[in-house]
Amino acid sequence: MKSLHIKTPAGAYTVGPESPPLFILGPCVIESREHAFDIAGALAEMRDRLNLPFVFKASYDKANRSSGKSFRGIGISAGLSILEDIRARYSFPVISDVHDGAQVAEASSVLDILQIPALLSRQTDLLEAAARSGKLVHIKKGQFMAPEDMSNVVKKMEEAGCDQLMLCERGISFGYHTLVVDFRSLPIMSSFGYPIIFDATHAVQSPGGSGDRSGGDRRFAPSLARAALAVGCQGLFMEVHPDPDHAPSDGPNMIPLSKLEALIAGLLPFHEARKKMGPDPLFGQGGS
């Protein structure tokens, strides 16, 4: 597996099997400038105490809400301005979703990492535009895809000139309103040669499960995160919020900001144990 380097205003992070786990953290959506900065400031203090690589995540637009009346965000221009300022003030690399190829150029002018949402993981035009951006691209596996199907996504990106990829597992649809995680997906996707991120909070989401919005159960996110690190992933994606029960998007599955530091500290031994085990004897160096 290749290691990747993520540039930050203060240096670079290395993401790979021998490096500390990468944590992609932040609210589901940018609600306001003040709200985003409050969360970023708390995360920056946490990052410095834990001495771990953090990426700040927040979406400027949630284009796939259950209801047309749901809050989508503040838009690309205002959102990118906030993310740019957070990047400068707190030395965070920043990531956000891109939803179509027309957004890629503007988003790439600010973002360190472009994120492809799970529902768009097979959209060839979007993938190729992201690949040509020269940015690191974080691709979430669709809830409708087998892990081996992501090999085709990887080939699309490589053929478009991109070898700076991270692949993300976030669960697979199991009937209606339910996701489950098949942990076989981690070594399978690792065999493609790129770092694997596990999305611990969307994996406990109940898509559309609350009628006009998605439900979820954040209580299970820590258990899944521990399992993912033990099986073998190079980072964790977790959405966080000061008051998730009153968040306008994905509140039921977000981690309360006040609980995050203790959660992360409790996860690290699982990562260290996995490192000591060495490469998977069946999948070899290419696996998890």
Side-chain angles (χ1 to χ4, degrees):
M1 177 186 295
K2 71 187 303 179
S3 294
L4 300 178
H5 303 287
I6 301 175
K7 295 180 180 179
T8 82
Y13 296 153
T14 299
V15 187
E18 300 304 318
S19 302
L22 181 73
F23 288 91
I24 302 175
L25 305 165
C28 176
V29 64
I30 298 175
E31 299 176 27
S32 69
R33 183 181 184 87
E34 180 181 10
H35 185 261
F37 265 77
D38 285 347
I39 296 173
L43 290 175
E45 293 176 0
M46 199 178 304
R47 170 200 60 195
D48 295 343
R49 286 192 296 268
L50 294 170
N51 192 29
L52 289 170
F54 281 15
V55 174
F56 183 80
K57 180 271 167 188
S59 297
Y60 50 76
D61 179 26
K62 301 298 293 184
N64 58 337
R65 299 304 308 277
S66 297
S67 169
K69 296 179 180 179
S70 297
F71 178 71
R72 288 182 52 164
I74 62 174
I76 186 169
S77 296
L80 288 175
S81 176
I82 290 170
L83 291 171
E84 185 173 33
D85 290 345
I86 285 174
R87 185 182 193 276
R89 178 175 295 186
Y90 298 113
S91 296
F92 277 127
V94 292
I95 181 173
S96 194
D97 298 303
V98 289
H99 299 96
D100 61 63
Q103 293 182 353
V104 169
E106 185 175 359
S108 296
S109 68
V110 171
L111 301 178
D112 299 281
I113 308 171
L114 304 180
Q115 180 163 286
I116 307 298
L119 288 171
L120 299 176
S121 55
R122 298 199 306 182
Q123 295 295 97
T124 300
D125 290 345
L126 173 59
L127 291 171
E128 290 179 344
R132 291 190 295 266
S133 71
K135 294 289 185 175
L136 175 60
V137 184
H138 180 234
I139 306 175
K140 292 193 170 185
K141 178 177 73 65
Q143 303 95 319
F144 44 84
M145 293 175 66
E148 55 267 26
D149 295 342
M150 288 296 284
S151 64
N152 294 317
V153 174
V154 169
K155 289 175 185 176
K156 285 182 186 180
M157 299 298 287
E158 291 176 338
E159 289 169 357
C162 178
D163 63 355
Q164 300 294 299
L165 300 175
M166 298 188 296
L167 305 179
C168 182
E169 172 59 63
R170 53 136 316 153
I172 189 166
S173 296
F174 185 75
Y176 301 118
H177 307 312
T178 302
L179 298 174
V180 296
V181 178
D182 179 356
F183 284 102
R184 294 177 299 179
S185 68
L186 301 186
I188 291 171
M189 290 199 294
S190 290
S191 71
F192 306 148
Y194 295 96
I196 304 302
I197 307 298
F198 179 70
D199 183 342
T201 49
H202 284 104
V204 299
Q205 186 186 59
S206 174
S210 296
D212 62 351
R213 66 192 65 190
S214 290
D217 194 336
R218 69 178 69 95
R219 295 177 301 166
F220 298 109
S223 296
L224 294 180
R226 289 191 289 267
L229 288 172
V231 171
C233 65
Q234 287 67 57
L236 290 171
F237 177 108
M238 296 187 290
E239 289 184 338
V240 300
H241 195 281
D243 185 13
D245 289 334
H246 295 94
S249 176
D250 275 359
N253 46 270
M254 281 197 283
I255 304 297
L257 190 58
S258 62
K259 306 289 186 182
L260 180 64
E261 187 165 358
L263 170 58
I264 290 176
L267 293 172
L268 297 178
F270 292 86
H271 175 74
E272 291 303 313
R274 183 65 186 86
K275 281 176 61 179
K276 291 178 181 178
M277 291 169 60
D280 189 296
L282 298 183
F283 276 86
Q285 294 290 344
S288 61

